[in-house]
Amino acid sequence: MNLNELTIELTISTSLSLGRMLAAYILSLILAIVTGVAMARNKYVESILLPILDVLQSIPILGFFPAVLAVFITTLGPVAGGELSSIFLIITSLVWNMIFGVYSSIKSLDPSIDHLVAVYKLPLIHGFLYIYLPASKSSIAANSIISWAGGWFFLTSAEVISMGRVEYRLKGLGSFIIKAFEEDNTMAYTTGLLALFMVILVSYLIIWNPFTMKYTGTRTLLGFMKAYDVIDKALSKTWGFIVEKVVAAYNVVARVKIKSTHIIICSILPPLLYQYHTRLALDNSLYSKILEYGVDFLRVAPITLIRVYLVVVTGLAVSILLAYISHTRLKLGKIIVMSGEVSSSIPAMMWWPILLPLLKGFPQGVMMFVYLQGSLWYVFFNVLIFGISSLRESIIELSEIYNVKGRLYLSRIFIPSLLPSILAGGLSASGGAWNASIAAEYIVLGDLTVDMGGVGSLLNKQAQAGDILGVLSTSFFMSLVVVFINKTIWARILGKIRGYYVVE
Amino acid sequence: MVTMSSSKNYVVEVVGVSKSYISGGREVEVLKDISFEVGREFVSIIGPSGCGKSTLLRIIAGVEKPSRGRVVFNLNRKPIIGFVFQFPTLLPWMTVLDNVILPLIATGVEKSSAIEKARMTLKVVGLGGFEDFYPSELSGGMKQRVNIARALAIEPDVLLMDEPFSNLDPLTAENLRSEVLDIWLSSILPVKSIIMVTHNVEEAVIMSDKVIILSPRPARVLKIVDVNIPRPRNRKMPEVQEMVDKVYEYVS
Ligand SMILES: Nc1ncnc2c1ncn2[C@@H]1O[C@H](COP(=O)(O)OP(=O)(O)OP(=O)(O)O)[C@@H](O)[C@H]1O
Ligand SMILES: [Mg+2]
């Protein structure tokens, strides 16, 4: 391949990957807004969806991937089906925190705004366009930073899809880099990596960072405000136009009421599960089999449980430390966050050349690294973007006037102010850690296989053996554990701090 | 329940309204058998903190259901209700103008005529020229004016105000009070009745034609006092002071 061909190939691949990412992002955005608003506005939807989402964000979706693929590819053919499953996989890696972001920002809206909506009888569509959407803008911005990274991280897995023996490769930057790596084409490999870094850097510098700075007021980000302003203006104009047309159309077409909530519930439960359910229900020995899987699960659950929460605690400690550094030195802070944005976006497989030498001698370290990659960033961005910007000027002044410094400042002022973001991040991070267990506990690199045991390893082996019932049962038992922990521990902590930290 | 009839002389009639909440497993009685009528007049509701005044106002506005009793409007159509919230409750991402036109647009008024009405009421409350400002760029008093302008822009039959002046500094409150009275007395807007909740006895006496005094929770009507003092009134008038003393007797 000469340089010219390489450039063309690379340009096409990059555009295709970017297109996939955008499609997944936009679909996730729509899903997040509709689901988040419905959950925050409707008690029943909330009570049903909240635990389901807790589970979905914790289940290692990769375990189900072969099944999803089979459905998409057999019904739509390899091209459209492959493309759809790739977008689906990217969505599963970025949608959850966006849903929770929209949900919590609408949930924390001043109750007097509810009275406003009620008194002036704002129709649902008006509430959506004029209140709920603008109200969740800052949280959408901040969460987009996390999600965008999550999407790139999964890019290679989403473009090189193996289904048992068969492998589907979608043209794109991820598969381009893998191919170059396999063919030992250093030139293509390095240019591919460079292109990847460029795309990630540029998208953060001119879109996500300025977007977030503008709507959250955070200052710990690097970005080109001027370039973004042009984009922002164009988007605002288009948006204003859309809103006006929608409202006008609404006024013309009689005021139809849509039961949006029902549609959401149906679309979020994969019809897939149902299909397997009916097929399996015929099997007589089903329950004893599930019981066997349950015993297997119990055997490996404690070790994964320990790892998951060890990772969450490590992530919290690292993030709080970095937050404190960023808080005291703004310039350094900007560099820290930018490095976080890049390192969290680097696709999983790009790390392997670096980690490979470590794998033999220090497999625990490699496992923890993969765990952290799937979990740390939720706390990192929550604390460093949302947390720091919620530190109030007046409280900082107060501590300066009364000379509150050092440990006292950290424990009485800094950490308490960050608590809401620490907890929000911690909740997502534990979901992320469960999710990462499948990749962290069972690593196959070339002819080297490292099996660290645990729930993730079990799931991975079941998925590879095509044992769908096993994957489903293990995920089910894992879901029980996750829901139990969230309901008992997290919910209690969240409930406790809610009253304390409504500062105003 | 809100029903409509057209046989009597009042605009709003509150008939035997009671309200209780279930809170922490216990039933808390907030309003108990409240009845009164409001004609084409300015009525104040006064009562101790937490007795249920805001709840009563929300029931009249139709956004909360009474446990018993009903609210009747003597109109031939659904009443249009303006509501001045205790706190300005402006949407921070919208300009002053957009905040004021939101209820109009929600009722299907065309944008250009909504803007026209909003500009008019903003001028009435003294905010002409501030249409394109954002709430964060306004003082507390100005925000409260926007709150009032928003309630007036929909041309309400009944204007409900929940402690509209209690979160303002005394000087701003004083100015805004006389402006609201001016708007009311000049009848430039089609408001038929005003019902205002307040803690301030003097404010109630100076502004209203009738003062309804509520008891501590569960709130009952303790006394309805007619304020037959010629306008314009001010706090130094002996009749006003006498009336204030009279109302205080029931309040304390
Ligand atoms: N949605 C609700 N659920 C349970 N209790 C409620 C609810 N709304 C109000 N209450 C209770 O009803 C009582 C009256 O509340 P309300 O806000 O109407 O009082 P208020 O007279 O307006 O008080 P304030 O003078 O402080 O404004 C309070 O004790 C309050 O705790
Ligand atoms: Mg009140």
Side-chain angles (χ1 to χ4, degrees):
Chain A
M1 212 190 304
N2 64 31
L3 195 63
N4 236 344
E5 281 168 7
L6 185 74
T7 319
I8 293 170
E9 183 75 14
L10 196 58
T11 315
I12 295 173
S13 301
T14 309
S15 323
L16 283 173
S17 292
L18 206 54
R20 240 164 250 143
M21 284 283 293
L22 273 179
Y25 174 78
I26 290 168
L27 287 172
S28 300
L29 189 61
I30 295 170
L31 196 65
I33 290 166
V34 174
T35 318
V37 172
M39 264 162 55
R41 294 291 78 193
N42 187 313
K43 267 194 302 220
Y44 300 106
V45 180
E46 183 183 21
S47 61
I48 296 169
L49 281 193
L50 211 50
I52 293 182
L53 287 177
D54 266 345
V55 167
L56 282 181
Q57 76 159 349
S58 310
I59 285 182
I61 305 273
L62 277 176
F64 290 96
F65 205 48
V68 176
L69 258 181
V71 172
F72 277 137
I73 287 178
T74 47
T75 51
L76 295 165
V79 180
E83 206 58 66
L84 269 182
S85 14
S86 148
I87 291 174
F88 176 83
L89 179 65
I90 302 176
I91 289 177
T92 62
S93 71
L94 52 73
V95 73
W96 317 115
N97 58 301
M98 291 176 71
I99 296 179
F100 283 116
V102 172
Y103 164 72
S104 60
S105 59
I106 290 173
K107 199 77 188 165
S108 61
L109 263 184
D110 190 335
S112 63
I113 288 183
D114 287 340
H115 288 152
L116 178 81
V117 172
V119 164
Y120 292 117
K121 301 186 181 65
L122 293 194
L124 184 66
I125 184 86
H126 292 67
F128 221 81
L129 296 175
Y130 292 117
I131 297 182
Y132 304 132
L133 261 181
S136 34
K137 207 162 177 175
S138 63
S139 135
I140 287 175
N143 277 292
S144 296
I145 286 192
I146 308 174
S147 293
W148 192 246
W152 287 109
F153 180 73
F154 266 104
L155 187 70
T156 41
S157 328
E159 285 180 352
V160 180
I161 310 165
S162 47
M163 216 176 110
R165 294 271 146 78
V166 201
E167 193 184 74
Y168 293 96
R169 284 201 175 196
L170 302 171
K171 204 179 185 63
L173 195 49
S175 59
F176 178 92
I177 295 171
I178 288 191
K179 187 160 155 253
F181 181 69
E182 288 167 349
E183 289 171 355
D184 253 337
N185 184 342
T186 322
M187 172 81 178
Y189 185 69
T190 28
T191 43
L193 274 186
L194 265 178
L196 180 72
F197 277 118
M198 284 305 291
V199 172
I200 293 171
L201 263 174
V202 168
S203 56
Y204 274 117
L205 287 175
I206 71 170
I207 299 177
W208 305 117
N209 288 1
F211 176 32
T212 307
M213 282 194 276
K214 182 157 184 166
Y215 293 105
T216 65
T218 187
R219 295 185 302 148
T220 43
L221 294 170
L222 281 172
F224 299 121
M225 222 55 201
K226 287 224 177 79
Y228 173 71
D229 274 342
V230 179
I231 301 171
D232 192 72
K233 254 189 210 125
L235 282 177
S236 298
K237 221 174 219 168
T238 322
W239 178 244
F241 180 78
I242 293 173
V243 169
E244 208 163 296
K245 289 290 164 237
V246 168
V247 170
Y250 175 82
N251 283 337
V252 173
V253 183
R255 315 194 148 205
V256 201
K257 291 217 165 171
I258 308 165
K259 287 244 170 193
S260 54
T261 52
H262 293 263
I263 302 167
I264 299 156
I265 296 172
C266 298
S267 61
I268 201 99
L269 283 174
L272 198 75
L273 286 180
Y274 176 74
Q275 210 178 337
Y276 280 108
H277 173 76
T278 45
R279 206 179 291 168
L280 291 168
L282 303 172
D283 195 335
N284 269 340
S285 58
L286 180 71
Y287 293 104
S288 64
K289 249 190 194 160
I290 291 180
L291 219 61
E292 262 171 53
Y293 285 119
V295 175
D296 287 345
F297 171 80
L298 280 181
R299 210 171 285 144
V300 293
I303 183 70
T304 299
L305 199 67
I306 292 170
R307 284 173 187 157
V308 162
Y309 286 96
L310 197 66
V311 165
V312 172
V313 170
T314 312
L316 283 173
V318 170
S319 303
I320 292 171
L321 186 73
L322 290 178
Y324 188 67
I325 296 173
S326 310
H327 172 54
T328 46
R329 279 171 227 176
L330 189 61
K331 268 205 190 118
L332 193 58
K334 286 185 182 183
I335 295 169
I336 291 175
V337 178
M338 190 73 230
S339 333
E341 289 178 332
V342 174
S343 6
S344 58
S345 313
I346 296 173
M349 68 86 49
M350 310 300 159
W351 291 105
W352 292 130
I354 307 168
L355 296 175
L356 196 56
L358 282 174
L359 198 54
K360 262 191 204 133
F362 190 41
Q364 289 92 346
V366 176
M367 177 186 72
M368 280 326 239
F369 178 85
V370 179
Y371 257 124
L372 274 174
Q373 209 27 290
S375 156
L376 165 72
W377 304 112
Y378 292 104
V379 214
F380 180 90
F381 290 117
N382 254 301
V383 172
L384 271 94
I385 292 173
F386 255 155
I388 293 189
S389 66
S390 68
L391 265 172
R392 309 183 119 239
E393 212 56 60
S394 57
I395 294 182
I396 297 173
E397 253 166 41
L398 173 119
S399 43
E400 269 167 16
I401 289 169
Y402 292 113
N403 209 15
V404 183
K405 269 195 244 161
R407 282 246 308 267
L408 193 63
Y409 179 74
L410 202 65
S411 66
R412 290 295 154 84
I413 306 231
F414 190 70
I415 293 178
S417 301
L418 295 188
L419 260 189
S421 64
I422 289 176
L423 285 169
L427 196 55
S428 303
S430 57
W434 281 106
N435 199 338
S437 68
I438 194 170
E441 293 180 339
Y442 192 83
I443 300 167
V444 185
L445 261 190
D447 36 320
L448 193 62
T449 301
V450 179
D451 183 356
M452 304 297 292
V455 178
S457 157
L458 182 65
L459 264 173
N460 206 327
K461 282 180 264 182
Q462 286 165 338
Q464 284 191 357
D467 180 4
I468 291 293
L469 181 65
V471 171
L472 278 175
S473 317
T474 310
S475 306
F476 171 73
F477 290 120
M478 200 184 101
S479 307
L480 287 185
V481 174
V482 169
V483 169
F484 177 76
I485 292 174
N486 286 357
K487 275 262 158 321
T488 50
I489 302 174
W490 286 108
R492 205 160 291 174
I493 302 177
L494 278 172
K496 248 191 194 148
I497 74 138
R498 204 149 268 164
Y500 295 154
Y501 291 95
V502 187
V503 204
E504 194 45 51
Chain B
M1 202 173 70
V2 178
T3 43
M4 280 146 260
S5 106
S6 54
S7 54
K8 293 198 199 92
N9 209 4
Y10 56 80
V11 180
V12 190
E13 190 183 13
V14 175
V15 192
V17 163
S18 300
K19 174 78 187 178
S20 26
Y21 287 111
I22 309 289
S23 155
R26 282 181 306 124
E27 190 173 312
V28 180
E29 206 172 15
V30 179
L31 301 173
K32 190 167 186 167
D33 198 21
I34 305 260
S35 296
F36 58 85
E37 289 159 16
V38 180
R40 293 178 167 262
E41 56 185 343
F42 191 131
V43 172
S44 289
I45 298 175
I46 203 161
S49 195
C51 76
K53 303 180 295 295
S54 299
T55 307
L56 180 57
L57 220 50
R58 283 204 298 275
I59 289 175
I60 296 174
V63 296
E64 195 144 5
K65 284 203 177 74
S67 314
R68 244 170 301 120
R70 62 206 158 91
V71 176
V72 185
F73 286 86
N74 182 24
L75 294 165
N76 296 319
R77 54 180 163 79
K78 259 192 163 170
I80 300 173
I81 289 181
F83 202 109
V84 177
F85 300 91
Q86 190 166 348
F87 297 94
T89 316
L90 304 180
L91 301 171
W93 47 81
M94 287 184 180
T95 61
V96 165
L97 187 72
D98 286 337
N99 265 290
V100 175
I101 64 174
L102 181 60
L104 286 164
I105 288 183
T107 54
V109 176
E110 213 175 300
K111 191 155 182 193
S112 55
S113 72
I115 290 178
E116 202 174 298
K117 286 178 187 179
R119 281 187 192 285
M120 207 271 275
T121 49
L122 279 168
K123 205 174 281 164
V124 169
V125 299
L127 280 182
F130 286 93
E131 287 86 354
D132 295 330
F133 281 54
Y134 281 90
S136 59
E137 300 166 323
L138 303 180
S139 71
M142 290 159 99
K143 283 184 203 161
Q144 197 60 351
R145 283 167 208 257
V146 180
N147 190 4
I148 294 170
R150 177 175 56 195
L152 293 175
I154 57 166
E155 299 176 344
D157 302 306
V158 178
L159 179 63
L160 306 175
M161 303 198 284
D162 194 353
E163 303 190 34
F165 313 114
S166 66
N167 292 300
L168 301 172
D169 64 275
L171 208 63
T172 312
E174 194 57 51
N175 286 335
L176 212 46
R177 264 182 217 124
S178 55
E179 274 166 33
V180 168
L181 264 186
D182 284 349
I183 295 166
W184 164 243
L185 295 171
S186 66
S187 354
I188 44 172
L189 291 165
V191 183
K192 297 183 177 66
S193 316
I194 297 185
I195 304 176
M196 174 175 80
V197 162
T198 178
H199 274 130
N200 186 329
V201 175
E202 208 175 75
E203 175 180 294
V205 169
I206 289 179
M207 295 187 82
S208 40
D209 303 306
K210 202 154 92 181
V211 180
I212 297 171
I213 303 158
L214 299 181
S215 71
R217 213 181 68 190
R220 286 166 294 108
V221 177
L222 272 186
K223 177 78 181 170
I224 299 181
V225 180
D226 285 308
V227 187
N228 288 314
I229 302 171
R231 296 174 192 274
R233 304 166 185 165
N234 69 61
R235 64 170 61 118
K236 296 207 185 81
M237 291 162 73
E239 305 100 296
V240 169
Q241 278 173 359
E242 210 173 289
M243 185 63 72
V244 167
D245 290 341
K246 189 175 164 190
V247 173
Y248 259 120
E249 254 170 57
Y250 291 102
V251 172
S252 44

